């Protein structure tokens, strides 16, 4: 069927007035240039970012580049600027790069054909799906939750939301119905976009079934659009459920009018765990996020036209948002999306994909590297990997052994590794070397990117200027993609990030800086675990464990884990009045799987008679962490404990 299009000419005329001809921001190519740009960005940040922003298409230029107040946690970039991010991701490339590939999709199954979606095709598919959204009553400002496997339709759904100004909240496919319901409730989502089932290696995740269960908990969702991927049988509720393909088949006229959005309108909400309570919805807004993800994509990975970029993250996490969808598309790059897992059907799967598509930039997580290392060298038997130019890591500290393995076996000793440090809240990479331009040494993330002003503070908030001395990592000036708020609870945003240290953004990470100014990130200093690169709050886990009828109290800590980076160790006190149950361990694991998702299940559970507490009732997690790590002899000072004998009892149980 030929679709009629009614493209709004006015939009395109006004776009051309502002956009510069160069398609992406200035690229730093030498160490000296990095130094110069960094200095410029610190001395005159507004001038610096205004120049970067001038490479994008705006419908109206901003009145003011930056307006902020860290005390109240308010940051506004490109004030009163008007734009639509998808015009920058797609339309801007149509004239000169319309036939270039925007997305390569590689199936879970080696024998299923890859898909190659050009910018023109992506445009067609996104504007068609925006009609589906509009037909189903979606308007600017509505929240849509998206829960799908890694298929192109996930990126299309995200972009279609952004095109009409709906706020997307993508939920990682590993979350349980209960976690999804929390997100539906918090966003008050009107619609869910999902698939029947998602392939992950030899498993099918029954996504629609999980969605149905989540709607039993939160029943205000009006429409569920289902993309048929796995042909898994589903329960179809005709009052609410609609097939993606049937909805698209109803479209006869495309009236493409990208919504003209304010620079500070929300683009998406992404939930992330903190040290207290339930996960919070980090809100990112359009203008600043766009500028920053494009700028960092081009500069950190040293992208140049024609390169193929393969980021192995899931779009359900921030890495997928920023460096599979938005950053690469804004730069007009080819972004490779992979549906499956690294180790199925065998550990050579990534390497085959890299050779098949001649991937130039490969960006993955240390946990994936460590897991692949354990499969031995035969995974490289047929691998050439000569197309690779840059390797990247993200999500957790990378240990030296994994760094070297990655450098030698994947990069064949010739590809720089960028160890990129950032967070859901930062929207894009803040500290990293620039591939092949600035120094990269194992276990160091490197130097701050232009515009980023990190400081290391001691507990009193005094800046640590001594080299190699660890403190809390903070950032003292806003960058364009800084978190704007936590959805529906601005005070949580202010108190978590902007009130611990006056006038600084507090990252929650510990770090130090060496003599050359390179930063080494040590890990979280708050009660947040990083398990296989997934952020999990200990309080969140404890709440779930405590909801079991036999549990009185629990304390969860992390401990070093060879593959996951950090493992989950749960100390649990049970009700002595009640009869103990042999299957308690399994029940506790199930309850976590059910309430959060399998990725959060504890690796070790120890039933204990008590917990080490101070006289004021505070659990001394430091001691529990030491016991979990097997460092039973180095527990330090126990004098502040209310009852130190409990420590010996726990050690005895841990040893047995
Ligand atoms: O502790 C840091 C760790 O991951 C946390 C952020 O997690 P999340 O919001 O899920 O985002 C992950 C992807 C950006 C940080 O507070 N982290 C992230 N990257 C690194 C890292 N730790 C060390 N080195 C990194 N390169």
């Amino acid at each position: 069927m030929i679709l009629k299009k009614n493209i709004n000419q006015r939009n395109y005329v006004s776009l051309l007035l502002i956009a510069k001809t160069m398609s992406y921001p200035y690229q730093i190519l030498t160490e000296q240039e990095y130094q110069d740009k960094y200095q410029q960005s610190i001395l005159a940040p507004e001038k610096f970012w205004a120049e970067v922003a001038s490479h994008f298409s705006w419908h109206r230029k901003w009145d003011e580049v930056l307006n902020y107040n860290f005390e109240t946690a308010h940051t506004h970039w490109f004030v009163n600027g008007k734009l639509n991010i998808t015009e920058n991701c797609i339309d801007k490339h149509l004239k000169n790069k319309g036939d270039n590939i925007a997305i390569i999709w590689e199936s879970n199954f080696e024998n299923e054909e890859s898909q190659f979606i050009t910018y023109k095709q992506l445009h067609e598919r996104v504007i068609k799906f925006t009609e589906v959204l509009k037909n189903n009553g979606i308007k600017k400002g509505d929240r849509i939750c998206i829960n799908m496997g890694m298929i192109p339709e996930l990126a299309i759904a995200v972009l279609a939301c952004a095109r009409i100004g709906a706020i997307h909240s993508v939920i990682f496919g590993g979350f349980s119905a209960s976690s999804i319901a929390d997100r539906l409730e918090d966003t008050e989502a009107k619609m869910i976009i999902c698939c029947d089932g998602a392939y992950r290696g030899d498993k099918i995740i029954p996504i629609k079934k999980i969605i149905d269960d989540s709607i039993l908990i939160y029943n205000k969702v009006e429409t569920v659009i289902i993309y048929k991927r796995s042909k898994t049988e589903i329960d179809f509720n005709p009052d609410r459920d609609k097939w993606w393909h049937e909805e698209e088949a109803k479209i006869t006229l495309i009236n493409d009018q990208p919504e003209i959005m304010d620079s500070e309108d929300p683009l998406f909400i992404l939930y992330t765990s903190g040290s207290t309570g339930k996960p919070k919805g980090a809100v990112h807004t359009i203008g600043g996020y766009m500028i920053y993800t494009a700028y960092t994509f081009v500069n950190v990975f040293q992208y140049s036209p024609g390169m193929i970029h393969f980021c192995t993250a899931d779009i359900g996490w921030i890495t997928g948002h920023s460096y599979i969808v938005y950053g690469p598309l804004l730069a007009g790059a080819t972004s490779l999306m992979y549906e499956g897992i690294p180790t199925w059907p065998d550990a050579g799967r990534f390497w085959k994909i890299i050779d098949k598509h001649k991937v130039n930039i490969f960006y993955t997580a240390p946990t994936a590297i460590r897991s692949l290392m354990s499969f031995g060298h035969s995974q490289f038997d047929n691998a050439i990997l000569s197309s690779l130019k840059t390797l990247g890591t993200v999500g957790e500290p990378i240990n030296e052994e994994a760094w070297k393995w990655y450098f030698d076996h994947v990069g064949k000793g010739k590809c720089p590794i960028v160890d990129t440090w950032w967070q859901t809240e930062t929207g894009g990479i803040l500290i990293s070397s620039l591939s092949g331009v600035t120094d990269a040494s194992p276990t160091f993330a490197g130097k701050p990117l232009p515009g980023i002003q990190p400081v290391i503070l001691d507990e009193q908030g005094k800046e640590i200027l001594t080299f190699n001395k660890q403190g809390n990592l903070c950032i003292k000036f806003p960058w364009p993609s800084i978190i704007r708020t936590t959805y529906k609870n601005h005070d949580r945003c202010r108190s978590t990030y902007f009130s611990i240290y006056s006038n600084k953004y507090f990252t929650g990470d510990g770090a130090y800086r060496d003599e050359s100014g390179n930063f080494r990130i040590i890990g979280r200093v708050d009660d947040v675990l990083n398990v296989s690169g997934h952020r999990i709050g200990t309080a969140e886990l404890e709440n779930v464990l405590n909801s079991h009828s036999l549990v009185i109290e629990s304390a969860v800590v992390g401990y070093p884990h060879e593959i996951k980076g950090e493992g989950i160790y749960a100390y649990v006190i049970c009700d002595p009045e009640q009869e103990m149950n042999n299957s308690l361990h399994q029940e506790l694991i199930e309850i976590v799987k059910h309430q959060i998702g399998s990725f959060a299940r504890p690796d070790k559970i120890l039933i204990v008679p008590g917990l080490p507490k101070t006289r004021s009732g505070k659990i001394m997690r430091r001691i529990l962490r030491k016991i979990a790590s097997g460092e039973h002899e180095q527990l330090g000072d126990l004098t502040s404990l209310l009852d130190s004998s409990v420590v010996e009892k726990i050690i005895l149980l841990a040893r047995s």
Side-chain angles (χ1 to χ4, degrees), residues 84-86 89-90 126 129-130 133 138-148 153-172 183-184 186-194 244 261 265-272 280-287 289-290 293 314-327 329-330 424 427 485 487:
N84 185 290
I85 192 169
T86 68
C89 289
I90 309 173
V126 168
F129 196 64
T130 60
L133 296 180
I138 298 298
K139 332 175 276 315
K140 174 178 175 178
D142 287 342
R143 274 82 55 213
I144 299 185
C145 285
I146 306 177
N147 186 229
M148 300 172 102
E153 288 69 23
L154 169 51
I156 289 166
V158 160
L159 293 164
C161 289
R163 193 146 181 108
I164 61 169
I167 304 167
H168 56 79
S169 187
V170 185
I171 305 174
F172 170 61
R183 286 153 176 77
L184 294 175
D186 199 53
T187 55
E188 295 169 87
K190 219 168 151 179
M191 175 186 274
I192 300 177
I193 305 171
C194 68
W244 175 304
M261 305 292 289
D265 278 333
L267 175 62
F268 63 85
I269 306 169
L270 191 56
Y271 284 81
T272 187
K280 49 190 172 280
V283 175
H284 283 286
T285 58
I286 300 168
Y289 178 81
M290 172 177 85
T293 51
D314 190 292
I315 295 178
W317 305 114
I318 191 70
T319 308
H321 282 61
S322 303
Y323 300 110
I324 296 180
V325 182
Y326 288 110
L329 296 181
L330 286 162
T424 304
T485 190
Y487 193 61

Side-chain angles (χ1 to χ4, degrees), residues 271-273 317-319 323 363 366 393-398 418-426 428-429 431 443-445 505 507-510 520-526 528-530 533-536:
Y271 284 81
T272 187
S273 294
W317 305 114
I318 191 70
T319 308
Y323 300 110
Y363 190 31
T393 67
V394 57
E396 42 175 328
I398 179 163
V418 289
D419 175 353
T420 64
W421 174 84
W422 57 298
Q423 309 176 299
T424 304
E425 296 86 341
T426 69
I429 301 165
I431 301 181
T443 75
F444 280 81
Y505 166 83
T507 66
D509 278 328
R520 182 165 201 237
I521 312 295
I522 310 297
R524 303 289 308 191
V525 291
D526 53 8
V528 171
L529 307 181
N530 190 331
H534 300 321
R535 249 168 90 164
I536 305 168

